[in-house]
Amino acid sequence: EVQLVESGGGLVQPGGSLRLSCAASGFTFSSWTMNWVRQAPGKGLEWVSAISSDGAYTTYAESVKGRFTISRDNAKNTLYLQLNSLKTEDTAMYYCATDPSKPGGQGTQVTVSS
């Protein structure tokens, strides 16, 4: 059974940082491109970032480029997202996914507020 468990969210002030983690199991994690997506209250899913199976290639949405960093540890079957210089508009539920249109975990809430 495929499982994706996100963690690391929380309440942070504008300009602050968080590191999200996604623990994967039930599939060959090292063979898959992985994505982070987010959903703000009342809005649809927004793709945030992706990383190739070997970690060599990364891509970002324009809205987060230069502030967020995606990485992975295939030995630990874990995906990460470092969030820096957070803005109030980054407030959302964050999910990891192999298919960015079908996030499978419960997500982790990031709230940016003063």
Side-chain angles (χ1 to χ4, degrees):
E1 178 187 2
V2 172
Q3 282 199 322
L4 297 167
V5 180
E6 301 91 345
S7 62
L11 173 63
V12 63
Q13 292 186 340
S17 298
L18 285 171
R19 190 193 195 202
L20 308 185
S21 298
C22 168
S25 61
F27 66 105
T28 307
F29 178 75
S30 60
S31 296
W32 287 82
T33 291
M34 293 298 297
N35 298 268
W36 284 100
V37 299
R38 66 186 181 185
Q39 187 165 26
K43 296 189 177 181
L45 280 174
E46 177 190 13
W47 173 79
V48 173
S49 182
I51 186 167
S52 61
S53 58
D54 63 357
Y57 300 100
T58 59
T59 59
Y60 299 91
E62 284 298 321
S63 58
V64 306
K65 195 174 291 184
R67 300 188 298 120
F68 291 7
T69 303
I70 191 171
S71 62
R72 67 191 296 161
D73 186 336
N74 284 344
K76 295 182 178 180
N77 286 353
T78 303
L79 178 72
Y80 303 99
L81 187 68
Q82 178 69 40
L83 289 65
N84 296 331
S85 302
L86 281 161
K87 305 176 180 180
T88 55
E89 52 263 44
D90 295 318
T91 294
M93 188 72 79
Y94 284 71
Y95 303 88
C96 60
T98 54
D99 181 344
S101 67
K102 299 176 182 177
Q106 83 290 348
T108 187
Q109 177 68 41
V110 172
T111 302
V112 185
S113 175
S114 55

